């Protein structure tokens, strides 16, 4: 029954938008964008709170949101951790253990609408504003991003390059916004007319078209040292995304894995990250 409902609901959405786009294209585009950006998971669970609460730093006011930040103090350079979609700072617990053993100073935060932070929606331009705030405030030497978090740190250094940042790590990160939107279209069965209105909406709101937002293109302008992890069988973000980014990012190295999945919490991955930061 649940599978049947999961099939029917997206189709109902699609039919509604496909018809309604003839009458009110701007309203349809706005509604579709907000469905796309709605965060449904990632709030702090009790077992996560037991780990995170002792390391709360401050609540930052950024872009109309209350952003919860955390710190694990250390004597070496500052590392900023940027989590992915429908996640929160707890996802870094294994890497944090390794970074603390190496005595790095660690800053992390919950994205808008995730963890303890406020909101209902998240999209990369908003996430970038928060990342930029954290980069300017805490002067990290190293940035580490998982999934959409990795996409965001690359966009941040393209849009607001920091001379203080030296090294960047992405883990299972997407590259092409149009691929994400095509997947969204496929789920909700939008027709191309709805997608055209959505493209116009994105252009008017953010200043770029859907197919212009590309981490692999942004990477061409980045001179930092980069380490990219991606599993060849990642079911969430395609492996070819990191291949394309690595090709255009002159100072980057791609670590390809098989069978580690999308999250990549394994010790081997975390040990390689620490070694890269210490080199």
């Amino acid at each position: 029954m649940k599978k049947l409902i999961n099939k029917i609901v997206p189709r109902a959405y699609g039919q509604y938008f496909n018809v309604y786009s003839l009458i009110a294209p701007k309203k349809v585009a706005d509604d579709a964008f907000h469905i796309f950006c709605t965060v449904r998971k990632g709030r702090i669970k009790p077992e996560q709170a037991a780990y995170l609460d002792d390391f709360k730093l401050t609540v930052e006011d950024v872009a109309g949101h209350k952003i919860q930040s955390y710190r694990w103090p250390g004597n070496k350079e500052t590392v900023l951790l940027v989590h992915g979609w429908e996640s929160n700072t707890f996802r870094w617990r294994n890497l944090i253990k390794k970074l603390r053993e190496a005595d790095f100073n660690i800053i992390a935060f919950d994205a808008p609408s995730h963890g303890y932070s406020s909101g209902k929606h998240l999209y990369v331009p908003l996430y970038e504003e928060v990342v930029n705030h954290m980069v300017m405030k805490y002067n990290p030497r190293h940035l580490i991003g998982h999934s959409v978090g990795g996409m965001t740190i690359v966009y941040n250094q393209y849009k607001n390059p920091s001379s203080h940042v030296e090294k960047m790590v992405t883990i299972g990160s997407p590259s092409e916004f149009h691929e994400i939107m095509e997947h969204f279209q496929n789920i909700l069965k939008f027709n191309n007319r709805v997608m055209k209105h959505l493209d116009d909406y994105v252009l008017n709101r953010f200043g770029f078209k859907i197919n212009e937002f590309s981490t692999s293109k942004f990477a061409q302008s980045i001179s930092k040292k980069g380490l990219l992890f991606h599993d060849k069988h990642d079911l969430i973000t395609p492996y070819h995304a990191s291949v394309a980014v690595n090709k255009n990012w002159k100072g980057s190295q791609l670590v390809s894995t098989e069978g580690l999945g999308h999250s990549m919490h394994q010790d081997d991955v975390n040990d390689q990250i620490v070694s890269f930061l210490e080199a």
Side-chain angles (χ1 to χ4, degrees):
M1 188 58 158
K2 190 175 179 182
K3 285 184 178 179
L4 183 62
I5 291 170
N6 288 341
K7 282 185 178 181
I8 292 170
V9 171
R11 285 177 184 168
Y13 262 126
Q15 287 179 351
Y16 163 76
F17 282 117
N18 291 339
V19 173
Y20 200 36
S21 66
L22 293 166
I23 306 162
K26 289 183 179 178
K27 178 71 166 63
V28 160
D30 184 69
D31 289 349
F33 182 77
H34 282 91
I35 288 172
F36 171 70
C37 298
T38 297
V39 180
R40 296 168 180 85
K41 294 189 295 184
R43 292 299 181 185
I44 301 295
K45 297 175 181 177
E47 67 273 18
Q48 297 174 341
Y51 172 78
L52 292 172
D53 286 359
D54 289 342
F55 300 97
K56 283 182 176 178
L57 182 56
T58 60
V59 176
E60 308 275 353
D61 288 301
V62 192
H65 287 268
K66 302 286 186 183
I67 303 298
Q68 179 65 59
S69 64
Y70 306 86
R71 183 187 180 206
W72 288 263
N75 294 308
K76 287 165 71 172
E77 308 100 279
T78 298
V79 180
L80 179 67
L81 304 178
V82 184
H83 68 74
W85 177 256
E86 294 186 338
S87 183
N88 59 56
T89 298
F90 182 75
R91 70 94 49 217
W92 294 114
R93 63 200 179 280
N94 293 350
L95 177 58
I96 287 169
K97 181 176 182 290
K98 299 280 187 179
L99 290 171
R100 293 185 79 187
E101 288 170 359
D103 202 23
F104 283 99
N105 184 51
I106 305 158
I107 299 290
F109 66 97
D110 295 328
S113 315
H114 293 71
Y116 284 124
S117 296
S118 68
K120 294 181 180 178
H121 305 102
L122 183 67
Y123 41 93
V124 172
L126 169 62
Y127 207 0
E128 189 280 328
E129 277 192 68
V130 180
V131 168
N132 197 51
H133 172 91
M134 297 294 176
V135 169
M136 292 179 70
K137 181 168 182 176
Y138 295 106
N139 284 316
R141 191 68 58 84
H142 312 304
L143 307 178
I144 302 176
H146 174 249
S147 196
V148 171
M151 182 182 234
T152 304
I153 65 171
V154 174
Y155 181 50
N156 169 250
Q157 287 304 296
Y158 161 78
K159 188 180 177 187
N160 295 295
S162 167
S163 58
H164 193 75
V165 172
E166 287 185 1
K167 297 177 182 177
M168 298 166 60
V169 178
T170 68
I171 305 165
S173 295
S175 172
E176 309 305 313
F177 186 36
H178 74 85
E179 290 184 347
I180 299 171
M181 295 307 290
E182 285 161 11
H183 179 64
F184 178 55
Q185 179 184 15
N186 187 50
I187 291 172
L188 292 191
K189 310 301 179 189
F190 291 156
N191 61 29
N192 289 333
R193 183 176 59 249
V194 174
M195 293 307 294
K196 172 66 170 62
H197 295 321
L198 198 48
D199 198 24
D200 291 341
Y201 175 92
V202 170
L203 177 62
N204 290 331
R205 183 166 177 183
F206 302 113
F208 55 78
K209 296 179 79 68
I210 288 171
N211 66 2
E212 292 172 343
F213 193 97
S214 163
T215 307
S216 62
K217 290 178 185 174
F218 302 152
Q220 292 174 340
S221 69
I222 294 176
S223 57
K224 319 294 183 188
K225 292 180 180 176
L227 185 63
L228 286 56
F229 290 89
H230 215 123
D231 196 89
K232 290 182 178 180
H233 309 297
D234 190 327
L235 298 176
I236 308 298
T237 58
Y239 170 70
H240 67 247
S242 289
V243 172
V245 172
N246 172 238
K247 185 179 178 182
N248 286 345
W249 186 348
K250 288 183 179 177
S252 73
Q253 175 191 350
L254 174 61
V255 178
S256 304
T257 66
E258 291 193 54
L260 297 191
H262 181 63
S263 294
M264 292 201 172
H265 293 298
Q266 294 84 358
D267 282 346
D268 181 51
V269 172
N270 293 332
D271 286 339
Q272 287 186 67
I273 292 172
V274 172
S275 295
F276 171 67
L277 300 186
E278 288 183 322

